[in-house]
Amino acid sequence: MSESAPRPLRIGILGAARITERALVAPARSGGHRLVAVAARDRSRAEAFAAAHGVGRTHGSYAELLADPEVEVVYNPLANGLHGPWNLAALAAGKHVLTEKPSASNSVEAREVLEAAAASGTVFMEAFHYLFHPVTRRLHELLASGELGELRRAEALVAIPAPAPDDPRWSLSLAGGALMDLGCYGLHALRMLAPFAGGAPRLVAARAGERAGA
């Protein structure tokens, strides 16, 4: 007897962020999952997003969405500085959480999210999607097998065109900046090599530059 198909997930979206269409809407549809609700502080934006992407209904606040009993999974694509607080709120509401990276703004907040996720009994996942790419999986297979010998050195480089000067990803108050927005990918990738490198990396030196006007 063949196993039954997995039940579609019922997903609620916090905010009408630009990244949501590519990062969530298309994959959810291809997987047969349901977008049941979207919330935005400006309800008209939520309504426009729902109409464009076939979302079931809208809420005028993030708290309303978390209280929606039909929502079982919350996707959090808000500005970096809002990831931690709303991840904590979603976990407290008993929802599974898929959060854009980084999952928190600083180490104190990250520890709170980690502990809340561990205690929640739900699934919490940070959207470092590269980890599931066949190239990354093959790399880890090669390292695990020893086929290429021992890992001696690893470098990570991540580069994209710079956001516009007024883009919120530059905002310090919103936990923006090159490291939080993009560099976290490189750090995450290096940390994922820990099983093959004798343990997690440790900080030896760091360098940063200040962006004029930011």
Side-chain angles (χ1 to χ4, degrees):
M1 178 183 292
S2 61
E3 294 184 4
S4 60
R7 179 177 58 80
L9 298 174
R10 304 189 307 274
I11 304 170
I13 303 166
L14 295 177
R18 292 170 297 180
I19 193 174
T20 304
E21 180 176 2
R22 288 180 296 171
L24 182 78
V25 173
R29 283 179 178 159
S30 68
H33 303 295
R34 294 176 53 209
L35 303 177
V36 299
V38 59
R41 288 173 292 183
D42 178 351
R43 191 158 194 158
S44 64
R45 290 190 67 223
E47 290 170 349
F49 186 95
H53 301 295
V55 181
R57 58 180 171 276
T58 63
H59 292 293
S61 73
Y62 306 146
E64 284 181 19
L65 184 137
L66 296 186
D68 188 331
E70 193 173 0
V71 172
E72 62 177 345
V73 181
V74 170
Y75 172 62
N76 183 353
L78 301 172
N80 288 351
L82 298 177
H83 288 174
W86 286 105
N87 287 339
L88 289 170
L91 291 166
K95 310 296 186 183
H96 303 289
V97 177
L98 172 62
T99 178
E100 281 300 332
K101 49 75 202 164
S103 59
S105 297
N106 52 58
S107 61
V108 173
E109 200 173 79
R111 176 62 62 181
E112 290 180 305
V113 172
L114 177 67
E115 292 174 353
S120 69
T122 58
V123 174
F124 181 88
M125 181 173 286
E126 202 171 21
F128 283 110
H129 52 76
Y130 83 92
L131 196 57
F132 303 96
H133 192 285
V135 168
T136 302
R137 293 197 166 196
R138 179 59 179 147
L139 168 65
H140 288 186
E141 287 173 3
L142 288 170
L143 289 168
S145 70
E147 182 178 339
L148 300 181
E150 293 184 1
L151 176 63
R152 298 177 59 187
R153 179 182 177 88
E155 295 185 18
L157 173 65
V158 186
I160 63 168
D166 60 349
D167 192 293
R169 286 178 289 175
W170 289 121
S171 170
L172 178 62
S173 63
L174 292 176
L179 178 63
M180 296 292 278
D181 183 55
L182 199 64
C184 56
Y185 275 111
L187 289 177
H188 189 273
L190 291 173
R191 292 187 68 230
M192 292 302 100
L193 298 180
F196 319 109
R202 62 184 179 86
L203 180 64
V204 174
R207 180 171 58 89
E210 182 178 356
R211 183 173 176 81

